[in-house]
Amino acid sequence: MTTSVPVPDTAQDPAPRTAFGAAPVPAPARPPAPGTGHAPSHHGELLQGVFLDAAGRPCAGLVTLPVAEPGTRADFTPRAGAPAGVVGVVPADRTKAARAARLAVAVCAARTGRPAHGGVLRLAGGVPLGLGMGSSTSDVLAAVRAVADAYGLRLDAGTTARLAVRAERASDPLMLDARPVLFAQREGRVLEVLGPALPPLLVVGCLLGGGAPVDTLALPVPEATAADLRFYARLRDRLRRAVTGQDAALLGRVATASARRAQRRLRHPEFDALDALARRTGAVGLQVSHSGAVAGVLHDPAVPGAAARAEATRRALAAQGIPYTRTFTAGGANARPAEGFRTAERLWTTTDCSLH
């Protein structure tokens, strides 16, 4: 459907004239150039619960385990004449990313004084959906960055976080740098920067619950009791000390305690076996996605024989029938991604889009 635009009646409203004749007709404003954006993912949470903010108000918060890959790439192509609220997206089911792009267009146009144009957003990448690796936030963040790039901007982390929460109601802190933070995911704000970097970790990843996707927003939000607040305050303090002291063993105990608490909602049937397996193979602990199926057995790479223990963990997972996904390092200054993400069916490379 097209909408006709009335043509001015030049006989009644003649163009203004100058000393050199008729005034030049201004050229129509061109849309911004195409832009690109990229965003990482994460490997679930090290800590998630309810915490007091600086004003003493309880709010949901989390600390994620970052991973550089897989990630999402977004390409935004503005279209001349496309209304700002019209953004097509490929794949078509990425509605949160499309919503984020529309919101970002409005912000970027206002900041630059340029016209707000709709367009087409294309997403590619290998972040698995529904496993608790931040796939929707990765899509949203890449979309916002692509729109900002089209307008020649780099939006600050605070603005990006607010856009992400508006687009998807709750957001992971993927827009921030590598510093570990306690992040209020439903409000898009940092409750605390815990330190400069997580202690180095060697993570053996796996999938619980058969890798079935989890609808994060469909999970109930529990009411926090006074006991809950005390419990999570203790874990927050211990995690802060683990980061400050670069203590992988203490971090592992915090992550394990948080994961056990999450079992009240998640009820993964393999959790007890994974917990026992982690102790048996000399791990410092385990972590799970509190809103998905991904999990990791945590080893301290500074302890001699860590690689052998990680391999023993992988074999033990196979013996328990728990799907192994990847082994990677995190934290410290030299964290590196694994080469791909393995599910029970196949190896997903970081450029494979068919997971979506």
Side-chain angles (χ1 to χ4, degrees):
M1 176 179 176
T2 60
T3 303
S4 60
V5 179
V7 178
D9 185 348
T10 55
Q12 297 180 11
D13 185 18
R17 302 184 65 83
T18 70
F20 301 99
V25 178
R30 295 182 179 180
T36 61
H38 181 270
S41 58
H42 64 78
H43 200 264
E45 285 72 40
L46 293 168
L47 173 62
Q48 183 166 346
V50 182
F51 307 87
L52 296 180
D53 65 9
R57 183 175 64 88
C59 58
L62 52 79
V63 180
T64 56
L65 178 61
V67 59
E69 294 290 348
T72 302
R73 175 190 168 92
D75 296 281
F76 177 65
T77 305
R79 301 295 190 196
V86 178
V87 174
V89 62
V90 180
D93 62 343
R94 305 308 236 293
T95 55
K96 293 177 182 177
R99 188 180 307 127
R102 292 194 296 269
L103 293 169
V105 165
V107 168
C108 293
R111 291 192 178 186
T112 60
R114 301 171 67 182
H117 289 284
V120 177
L121 177 70
R122 297 181 182 276
L123 301 171
V127 185
L129 299 181
L131 297 187
M133 293 183 68
S135 60
S136 61
T137 299
S138 187
D139 285 353
V140 162
L141 177 55
V144 169
R145 287 175 170 170
V147 171
D149 184 54
Y151 279 85
L153 295 176
R154 285 177 63 91
L155 296 178
D156 61 276
T159 298
T160 306
R162 288 189 291 274
L163 289 174
V165 170
R166 288 178 63 191
E168 56 173 339
R169 291 172 51 194
S171 170
D172 295 307
L174 300 179
M175 71 292 299
L176 303 173
D177 58 25
R179 291 177 300 170
V181 299
L182 180 62
F183 186 74
Q185 70 270 25
R186 294 178 183 270
E187 301 175 26
R189 62 190 178 101
V190 174
L191 299 178
E192 181 181 353
V193 178
L194 297 167
L198 293 171
L201 297 167
L202 180 61
V203 185
V204 182
C206 61
L207 294 178
L208 303 179
V214 174
D215 183 354
T216 306
L217 295 177
L219 293 174
V221 179
E223 292 291 332
T225 65
D228 291 328
L229 291 172
R230 289 193 298 270
F231 174 80
Y232 288 116
R234 288 193 298 271
L235 291 191
R236 176 181 184 173
D237 177 67
R238 291 170 186 169
L239 184 55
R240 185 189 304 118
R241 288 190 283 116
V243 172
T244 301
Q246 292 293 281
D247 188 338
L250 179 55
L251 182 148
R253 292 195 292 273
V254 170
T256 303
S258 182
R260 286 176 181 153
R261 192 77 160 202
Q263 270 294 99
R264 296 180 178 184
R265 286 194 307 152
L266 299 177
R267 302 186 183 280
H268 289 305
E270 314 96 327
F271 182 83
D272 289 340
L274 184 68
D275 192 9
L277 180 157
R279 294 194 300 271
R280 190 168 65 250
T281 58
V284 297
L286 56 87
Q287 58 87 212
V288 302
S289 169
H290 289 39
S291 57
V294 74
V297 179
L298 309 176
H299 291 272
D300 184 350
V303 176
R309 285 193 296 276
E311 176 59 22
T313 301
R314 187 191 65 78
R315 293 195 302 269
L317 288 171
Q320 290 287 340
I322 300 175
Y324 164 80
T325 55
R326 63 187 342 194
T327 299
F328 63 98
T329 59
N334 300 309
R336 57 178 175 81
E339 294 182 355
F341 185 87
R342 184 182 299 278
T343 69
E345 293 81 17
R346 55 167 291 186
L347 177 68
W348 299 105
T349 67
T350 56
T351 57
D352 196 325
C353 189
S354 58
L355 268 173
H356 301 301

